[in-house]
Amino acid sequence: MSWYAVETLHRAFTEARDLLRPVRAGVWLRLALLAVFAGGTSVRPPGVGIVTLPLNAFDVPAPAPRALALLAALLAVGFVASVFEFLLVDFVEPDGDRLRRSFVSHVGDGARLFGFRCCLGALVVVPLGAFVAGIVAAARDGSAVAIVLTAICVPVVGALVVSALAASALTTSFVVPLMARGEGGVRAGWRLVRPALAAAPGEFGVYLVVRACLGVAYVVAGSVVAGAFALPFALAYGATALGGSVGAAAGVVAIAIAAVGTGCYLLCLRGPASAYLRVHSLLVLDRLDVPYDYPA
C-alpha cells in the first residue's frame, strides 16, 4: 500500500525546482523573506495565560516591564508569521502571480490562525504553569504531593505538547490552504478536513512521520551550513580580544561572516526547504477528499 505523503515526495521536488529555476533574484529573495516567518509546523507558544495564573499566591514576582515587552514582541512576530503562512501558499502555487495578494488582504485569515495558535499555546502553558505552581508550593511545605504532581505533570504535559504540535502541523499544512481559497476560518477548514481524517487516519499519521523525517534532514543540513561558518566566525570574534585596530578589524570581519552565513542559510536552505515542504503538503491535500485541487 502506498501513502500519499510518500508518493508526492518526488513530484514536490519537481514542483519546487520549477519554482526556483531558472534562478531569479526576486523569487529567491521573496521566498527567503517569507521563510523567515512561515514554513514551519511547530507551535509558536505566545505565552497566553501566564499573567493570568494566580502566581502571586505563591509569592512569585509579577513579570517585569522588559518581560512584558518581550512577550508583546513575540506576539507580534507570531501574528506576522500567521499571516505569512497564507502568503507562502500563494507564492508556491503554480497559478499564483508571486504574492498577488497583499499582506493586508490576509490579515483577517492570519488573525484567525493566530488565535488558534494562541489557544494551542494556552492549552500547554496554562496546565504547565498550574503544575509548576503546585509543585513549588508543595515543595516549600515539604509535602510528598510535590513528587506525585511531578509524576503526573510529565506525561500529561508531554501528551499535550505532542497533541498541540500535531494539531498545529495539520492546521498549517491542510487548513491554511483551504482558508486561502476562501473556505472560511479555522473551524470551517477543519470541518472540511475532519471527514478525510476520519476516513483515512493513516494518511495523516504517515504525513506527520514523513514531515518529522524531513524536519530532521533540515536540521542536519542547517547544522552543516552553520558549521561551515562557525569556525571562521569564532576565530574572528576571538581576535577582537586583541583590541586596537586589529580587534576592530576582526569585529568587522566577524559581523561580515555572520551576515553572509545568515544570508546563505535563508537563501540557500530555509527558503527552498520551506517551498518544498509547503508544495509537498499541498500535493498531499490534493489527494485527500477535500475541496482543494493543486493547480496543474
Side-chain angles (χ1 to χ4, degrees):
M1 179 179 180
S2 58
W3 303 97
Y4 298 155
V6 178
E7 289 179 350
T8 55
L9 286 172
H10 183 267
R11 185 184 172 190
F13 174 79
T14 302
E15 296 286 347
R17 182 190 60 194
D18 292 342
L19 172 68
L20 298 171
R21 294 173 57 184
V23 177
R24 289 161 292 177
V27 171
W28 284 69
L29 289 174
R30 281 177 285 180
L31 183 57
L33 174 62
L34 291 174
V36 171
F37 296 98
T41 59
S42 60
V43 179
R44 297 176 176 88
V48 173
I50 294 179
V51 296
T52 62
L53 293 173
L55 297 181
N56 289 334
F58 304 101
D59 298 326
V60 177
R66 289 185 179 180
L68 293 177
L70 177 61
L71 176 61
L74 291 176
L75 290 171
V77 171
F79 175 75
V80 173
S82 298
V83 178
F84 271 41
E85 296 288 1
F86 297 91
L87 299 183
L88 183 59
V89 171
D90 285 344
F91 190 85
V92 301
E93 286 185 335
D95 65 344
D97 57 4
R98 306 297 179 263
L99 299 182
R100 66 185 184 278
R101 287 185 167 183
S102 66
F103 179 93
V104 175
S105 67
H106 278 301
V107 166
D109 293 329
R112 297 183 185 94
L113 179 61
F114 178 64
F116 175 78
R117 287 175 168 176
C118 285
C119 291
L120 286 180
L123 288 175
V124 176
V125 172
V126 173
L128 177 61
F131 272 120
V132 171
I135 292 171
V136 170
R140 287 181 177 178
D141 296 335
S143 173
V145 177
I147 300 177
V148 176
L149 287 176
T150 302
I152 297 174
C153 174
V154 173
V156 170
V157 174
L160 287 174
V161 169
V162 172
S163 299
L165 288 173
S168 178
L170 295 177
T171 301
T172 303
S173 298
F174 302 134
V175 176
V176 164
L178 297 176
M179 295 173 63
R181 290 288 183 91
E183 296 294 342
V186 177
R187 293 178 59 185
W190 266 109
R191 279 196 293 268
L192 297 173
V193 173
R194 193 179 299 114
L197 175 60
E203 294 288 356
F204 290 83
V206 172
Y207 171 79
L208 291 175
V209 172
V210 170
R211 192 61 181 264
C213 293
L214 293 174
V216 172
Y218 171 79
V219 170
V220 172
S223 300
V224 172
V225 174
F229 291 92
L231 180 58
F233 174 80
L235 293 176
Y237 183 78
T240 59
L242 298 176
S245 58
V246 175
V252 173
V253 172
I255 294 174
I257 293 174
V260 172
T262 301
C264 289
Y265 168 75
L266 292 175
L267 286 171
C268 302
L269 179 60
R270 183 164 178 82
S274 297
Y276 175 78
L277 293 175
R278 186 50 45 88
V279 170
H280 178 248
S281 66
L282 294 177
L283 291 174
V284 174
L285 182 63
D286 178 66
R287 298 288 189 93
L288 298 172
D289 187 17
V290 294
Y292 176 86
D293 294 318
Y294 187 78

